[in-house]
Amino acid sequence: MDGVLADIYAQYLKFEAAESGMKRSLESLRGRSESEVFINIRKYLFSKGFFRDTPVIQGSYNGIKKLNSQYELFVVSSATEFPQSLSEKMEWLEEHFPFLTWQQMVFCGSKSVIQGDIMIDDHFKNLDNFKGKTILFTQPHNYGLPDKKHTRVNSWEEILALLL
Amino acid sequence: MDGVLADIYAQYLKFEAAESGMKRSLESLRGRSESEVFINIRKYLFSKGFFRDTPVIQGSYNGIKKLNSQYELFVVSSATEFPQSLSEKMEWLEEHFPFLTWQQMVFCGSKSVIQGDIMIDDHFKNLDNFKGKTILFTQPHNYGLPDKKHTRVNSWEEILALLL
């Protein structure tokens, strides 16, 4: 969800700007982890509203809508680390992807319990041990790093080109 | 979680008694689904506090504590159908099973995305398509029904006898 559907970097930058007035480009954050780049990241992630107000990643609405018509689709989101995010993430999905049902939502801590044929994610920790096909969605934290055994995509258009 | 860790029948009966004064024994509910037995079940399940105040099933604290020391354990709970249950279930786990971490919790709609070696559950719909070993925890709704390919247990003592 974060980094594939929800534009969490836009939200990090917004919270950072509100706190310190700092303005940084996404390009300047490339190749380093989120917690390395955003010193107060845990404060942001535990803030009420952080997840509820995250913008939608470009192309993801149409992308999910199309995939949902051809695949058995689930949105699996790491959420239990930030308990307040559970209801915020569910409300966010209901607002921005109203065609998805509660049956298609999973909020977890570790994605190691998830099975499926294809996983799309921006984090190696989620993809590396998944048994099916793995698609790495480019985000600043994974930019320029070796793709490993995953198929890298840079946009939702590229996901659809692969899967439809 | 419900029907294995959380004594949801005690909570159904409490809500029913508060509403109608009706008092029924668990034995009188055997072999019929929860929604067949409790006419206003959806009202209860959507009530604030329903999941937060559910009693703990006898033996489950010691059982989970012991399993947790020998297995990689996850608590997987159907929750997204009742959005208010997400935070209530997480708080409930943190209160009653404080040794469990956020990494071990999964709140979903369908358990068909879950993989593992062993699943303990009270519902056939969750166990029937699970690829690992399946343990059916007896509850009134599955009482007396054929066990299918699952191993039936009637208590946490029986679970521990099987798995330790």
Side-chain angles (χ1 to χ4, degrees):
Chain A
M1 185 166 156
D2 300 317
V4 177
L5 306 183
D7 190 352
I8 198 167
Y9 268 87
Q11 199 72 332
Y12 289 146
L13 290 170
K14 183 178 146 189
F15 272 63
E16 183 177 68
E19 191 180 37
S20 66
M22 200 190 292
K23 278 191 177 181
R24 299 196 281 181
S25 69
L26 285 177
E27 289 73 20
S28 71
L29 312 176
R30 284 175 175 172
R32 290 181 294 156
S33 73
E34 291 151 284
S35 56
E36 199 183 334
V37 160
F38 299 105
I39 306 224
N40 288 332
I41 189 169
R42 291 187 68 78
K43 196 169 112 186
Y44 308 157
L45 291 168
F46 278 104
S47 294
K48 193 172 154 54
F50 181 87
F51 292 99
R52 185 63 187 86
D53 301 333
T54 307
V56 177
I57 284 186
Q58 201 190 352
S60 65
Y61 176 86
N62 284 325
I64 288 285
K65 205 163 168 58
K66 282 180 181 159
L67 290 185
N68 194 45
S69 68
Q70 295 193 28
Y71 288 86
E72 187 186 9
L73 183 144
F74 294 89
V75 175
V76 181
S77 186
S78 299
T80 52
E81 185 174 5
F82 313 106
Q84 92 290 353
S85 78
L86 289 166
S87 57
E88 293 192 14
K89 283 178 175 241
M90 182 146 183
E91 287 173 19
W92 189 92
L93 283 174
E94 289 173 334
E95 179 188 346
H96 297 294
F97 297 85
F99 52 87
L100 294 177
T101 66
W102 57 263
Q103 287 95 336
Q104 295 174 279
M105 302 177 190
V106 183
F107 302 107
C108 60
S110 160
K111 294 186 187 174
S112 65
V113 286
I114 301 301
Q115 67 167 351
D117 298 310
I118 304 167
M119 180 183 276
I120 308 169
D121 205 287
D122 61 322
H123 279 286
F124 290 109
K125 68 180 176 193
N126 297 325
L127 296 172
D128 283 353
N129 296 309
F130 186 72
K131 293 193 189 87
K133 180 182 173 65
T134 46
I135 298 178
L136 176 68
F137 197 89
T138 297
Q139 282 292 347
H141 64 80
N142 67 42
Y143 190 94
L145 301 183
D147 304 345
K148 300 187 186 172
K149 55 163 189 169
H150 316 305
T151 305
R152 184 184 284 272
V153 292
N154 300 296
S155 67
W156 266 93
E157 287 67 32
E158 290 184 30
I159 293 175
L160 296 186
L162 266 178
L163 298 181
L164 293 187
Chain B
M1 186 166 156
D2 299 319
V4 177
L5 307 183
D7 190 352
I8 198 168
Y9 268 87
Q11 198 72 332
Y12 290 145
L13 289 170
K14 183 177 147 191
F15 271 63
E16 183 178 69
E19 191 181 37
S20 66
M22 201 189 294
K23 279 191 175 181
R24 299 195 281 180
S25 70
L26 285 177
E27 289 71 21
S28 71
L29 312 176
R30 283 176 174 170
R32 288 180 295 155
S33 73
E34 291 150 285
S35 57
E36 199 183 332
V37 161
F38 299 104
I39 307 224
N40 289 332
I41 190 169
R42 292 187 67 78
K43 195 170 115 187
Y44 309 156
L45 291 168
F46 278 104
S47 294
K48 193 171 155 52
F50 180 87
F51 293 99
R52 185 65 187 86
D53 302 332
T54 308
V56 177
I57 283 186
Q58 200 191 355
S60 65
Y61 175 87
N62 284 326
I64 288 284
K65 206 164 167 58
K66 282 181 180 157
L67 291 185
N68 193 44
S69 68
Q70 295 193 31
Y71 288 85
E72 186 186 10
L73 182 143
F74 294 88
V75 176
V76 181
S77 185
S78 300
T80 53
E81 185 175 5
F82 313 104
Q84 91 290 352
S85 78
L86 288 166
S87 57
E88 293 191 16
K89 283 177 174 241
M90 181 147 183
E91 287 173 18
W92 189 92
L93 283 173
E94 288 173 336
E95 179 188 346
H96 297 293
F97 298 84
F99 51 87
L100 295 177
T101 67
W102 57 263
Q103 286 95 336
Q104 295 174 278
M105 302 175 190
V106 183
F107 301 107
C108 59
S110 160
K111 294 187 186 173
S112 64
V113 288
I114 301 302
Q115 67 167 351
D117 299 311
I118 304 167
M119 180 182 275
I120 307 169
D121 206 287
D122 62 322
H123 279 286
F124 290 109
K125 68 180 176 193
N126 297 325
L127 297 171
D128 283 351
N129 295 308
F130 186 72
K131 293 194 190 86
K133 180 181 173 63
T134 46
I135 298 178
L136 175 69
F137 197 89
T138 297
Q139 283 292 348
H141 65 80
N142 66 42
Y143 190 94
L145 300 183
D147 305 346
K148 300 187 187 175
K149 56 165 189 170
H150 316 304
T151 304
R152 184 184 285 273
V153 293
N154 300 297
S155 68
W156 265 93
E157 288 67 32
E158 291 184 30
I159 293 176
L160 296 185
L162 266 179
L163 298 182
L164 292 186

